[in-house]
Amino acid sequence: MNKHLKHCTLATAIAGICLTASVSHGASHREAPYITEIPKVDASDFYMFRSYETGREDYVTMIANYLPLQDAYGGPNYFDLDSDAIYEIHIDNDGNAQEDITFQFKFTDVKTDLQLDVGESGATKSVSVPLKNIGAIGPGAMDTDNVQVRQEYEITVIRGDRRTGMHETVMNSTTGTTTFRKPLDNIGGKSFTDYQAYSDAHIFSMAIPGCTVDGKVFVGQRKEAFAVNLGEIFDLVNTNPLGARDGEGAGDLADKNVTSLAMEVPTACLTGDAATSNDDPVIGAWTTASVRQARVINPEPMANDQGATVEGGAWAQVSRLGMPLVNEVVIGLKDKDAFNASEPMNDGQFIDYVTHPTLPELVEILFGVTAPNNFPRQDLVTAFLTGVPAVNMPVGGTASEMLRLNPAIAATDAASQSDLGVLAGDNAGFPNGRRPIDDTVDISLRVAMGVLADAADAPDGQLDYTDGVQLDASELQTTFPYLATPLAGSPN
């Protein structure tokens, strides 16, 4: 079969499959079955908070983390994002559980076939090298002559429905182009003499259509900031939930990196009419990733230059993340893929998992404490589906799962933040949005066990439940993009 016929055969296969294909779905720290097969689109954490960097109080920072559990030494390919996917951050600014603004990220692989002349003098052959780079990289964003594969991305802002709404291109104000560069991952000290300077060179100003003030964007590898005992939690909570906080260090993710899509957007660009009226400034947000409905494995990627797969068809959502831990410890195993294929406006189909949760019952069985009995659990509906009254509950909002932020509440400076957020009187923290320091595991565990319920219904609801770990605030930056420089692959 000649090369042209092979191209046609693959294209025909795609066309046929697109008519009938169905796709399974999942997201967040490997907790849904299908996402384990496509980790590049696995959304692990989503942060949204009023910026607390000095002089940036009129901005909201959003950080969508993907591709979790990265070992710093994971070469030679490391952890590029999927150029056949789209990554999106959705904003609901009128409380109806539907996106009003979407920021869509689309990645492109930029490849340079780097070769070395190998052989005896006069009879050498130019041979492609097996490593991602053949020399030093940085410190400038453009210093990539020694790199074989890197990534660029474009950002589209969509107003209205994510697929049918008005699409406009976000401009890179730093370079005057429509493209942004993603830094290479932190390969190690020999490839980068100053990785932090190199990654900082990839913080770009962005001009968002419809906004009068520029925002900022950074997409790249960061040190994981989610403090959790993953292994112990999923081993039937194999830790003491009433023990000391920080009793077991930084948790199972302390030596991991992650890839962040970080944006700092002027608040007035997100809040809709409330930007001027201030009647209801609460915004909701969630992040998703989508892939094409059909994928055909290419049996001869070298022969036809189309790569290992050929993608086609409409976009199908395969990850969704708003509030932390919902799909990990709230949604039943059989519905995890379905949850991540869904949209907030249809969350009524999952209501039993919130009003009649199983996690408190498991904790009761395992540790002898008493689970709340105030069914249906309206306290959990408030925490996860509507927002907290007088804090971040939108006026007339539709109950749905997403991260909600009231940007009218002043940011707490980094040195004064409580990692227990609203439970500790720090209303600028979780569940009013989510900052990197917020210990969402401990907060969510305490809420699940009834800290917001009437004491008569939750006799053990005021206990200090914990998974035993806390994030050291010194690991975070106090300036955008807030998450720390990633761990280096070498030396280690």
Side-chain angles (χ1 to χ4, degrees):
M1 184 181 294
N2 64 35
K3 185 174 182 177
H4 174 72
L5 287 177
K6 288 174 182 173
H7 282 214
C8 291
T9 300
L10 287 168
T12 301
I14 282 286
I17 291 176
C18 290
L19 297 176
T20 59
S22 62
V23 181
S24 298
H25 309 268
S28 180
H29 282 110
R30 289 178 53 85
E31 98 296 352
Y34 182 62
I35 206 66
T36 61
E37 301 179 32
I38 46 174
K40 287 187 175 185
V41 289
D42 182 1
S44 59
D45 285 289
F46 181 54
Y47 303 90
M48 178 172 64
F49 51 93
R50 183 168 171 174
S51 297
Y52 48 87
E53 177 181 346
T54 301
R56 307 296 288 184
E57 296 84 2
D58 293 332
Y59 294 80
V60 169
T61 294
M62 295 172 286
I63 306 172
N65 283 352
Y66 283 87
L67 222 175
L69 307 177
Q70 296 178 15
D71 291 317
Y73 48 81
N77 292 295
Y78 296 93
F79 302 98
D80 288 342
L81 294 177
D82 190 347
S83 60
D84 291 315
I86 52 174
Y87 301 80
E88 296 174 308
I89 297 174
H90 309 282
I91 308 296
D92 169 20
N93 60 25
D94 59 13
N96 69 349
Q98 300 178 50
E99 67 269 15
D100 298 292
I101 304 171
T102 294
F103 295 99
Q104 183 185 101
F105 294 74
K106 183 73 172 68
F107 291 84
T108 300
D109 296 329
V110 180
K111 300 179 181 179
T112 302
D113 182 20
L114 298 182
Q115 300 179 340
L116 296 178
D117 292 333
V118 181
E120 296 182 0
S121 179
T124 61
K125 291 186 176 183
S126 294
V127 182
S128 299
V129 300
L131 304 181
K132 194 149 194 173
N133 61 302
I134 61 171
I137 307 168
M142 307 298 288
D143 299 334
T144 54
D145 290 346
N146 292 323
V147 175
Q148 287 215 87
V149 182
R150 61 179 179 84
Q151 289 194 305
E152 295 179 347
Y153 59 97
E154 295 183 345
I155 307 173
T156 302
V157 61
I158 306 163
R159 289 183 168 82
D161 182 89
R162 67 183 77 174
R163 299 292 173 257
T164 62
M166 182 176 67
H167 289 56
E168 296 179 280
T169 300
V170 174
M171 294 294 297
N172 185 335
S173 303
T174 303
T175 64
T177 67
T178 60
T179 61
F180 303 80
R181 285 195 171 205
K182 174 183 176 291
L184 274 77
D185 295 338
N186 196 355
I187 297 169
K190 194 169 185 177
S191 295
F192 299 99
T193 56
D194 187 345
Y195 187 84
Q196 181 167 340
Y198 168 72
S199 62
D200 285 350
H202 293 79
I203 299 175
F204 300 104
S205 293
M206 60 175 178
I208 304 168
C211 300
T212 59
V213 180
D214 280 4
K216 291 182 181 179
V217 65
F218 170 84
V219 174
Q221 192 178 49
R222 297 282 90 187
K223 186 180 185 299
E224 178 64 80
F226 185 35
V228 61
N229 270 331
L230 277 181
E232 286 80 358
I233 291 295
F234 293 122
D235 183 24
L236 299 180
V237 195
N238 189 13
T239 185
N240 181 5
L242 299 176
R245 298 184 77 208
D246 200 27
E248 301 178 43
D252 294 335
L253 304 185
D255 61 348
K256 304 296 183 184
N257 293 327
V258 72
T259 298
S260 297
L261 283 63
M263 308 182 75
E264 189 179 57
V265 180
T267 304
C269 292
L270 299 175
T271 54
D273 293 338
T276 55
S277 70
N278 204 37
D279 289 335
D280 185 19
V282 174
I283 56 177
W286 66 101
T287 184
T288 66
S290 300
V291 298
R292 295 295 187 183
Q293 283 187 344
R295 171 173 294 174
V296 173
I297 304 299
N298 185 354
E300 298 185 51
M302 181 183 291
N304 54 39
D305 298 325
Q306 286 190 312
T309 65
V310 181
E311 321 281 332
W315 294 112
Q317 181 179 306
V318 293
S319 73
R320 169 188 166 188
L321 185 62
M323 294 282 282
L325 301 170
V326 169
N327 209 10
E328 288 176 309
V329 297
V330 177
I331 303 297
L333 185 62
K334 74 179 182 67
D335 287 329
K336 289 182 182 295
D337 287 342
F339 176 81
N340 285 283
S342 67
E343 298 183 38
M345 62 181 176
N346 297 319
D347 280 348
Q349 63 187 311
F350 305 110
I351 190 64
D352 287 350
Y353 289 121
V354 178
T355 60
H356 294 74
T358 58
L359 178 62
E361 308 305 314
L362 290 172
V363 173
E364 178 179 273
I365 293 169
L366 293 169
F367 298 99
V369 294
T370 301
N373 57 17
N374 54 323
F375 302 110
R377 292 286 304 275
Q378 291 301 320
D379 55 322
L380 297 189
V381 171
T382 297
F384 289 101
L385 301 182
T386 66
V388 179
V391 178
N392 67 336
M393 178 184 286
V395 176
T398 299
S400 54
E401 190 280 303
M402 63 180 72
L403 202 57
R404 290 181 173 85
L405 173 70
N406 184 349
I409 294 176
T412 304
D413 67 272
S416 304
Q417 292 174 2
S418 169
D419 65 357
L420 292 177
V422 173
L423 289 184
D426 182 0
N427 284 351
F430 184 77
N432 181 30
R434 179 187 177 188
R435 305 166 301 193
I437 193 62
D438 292 334
D439 192 339
T440 55
V441 175
D442 284 10
I443 296 170
S444 297
L445 187 57
R446 296 179 189 195
V447 170
M449 294 306 295
V451 70
L452 301 179
D454 188 288
D457 297 319
D460 290 333
Q462 299 301 313
L463 298 177
D464 293 334
Y465 297 94
T466 179
D467 71 333
V469 298
Q470 284 179 282
L471 179 68
D472 183 350
S474 67
E475 292 188 14
L476 300 170
Q477 298 180 175
T478 57
T479 58
F480 182 84
Y482 294 97
L483 302 186
T485 300
L487 300 171
S490 167
N492 61 36

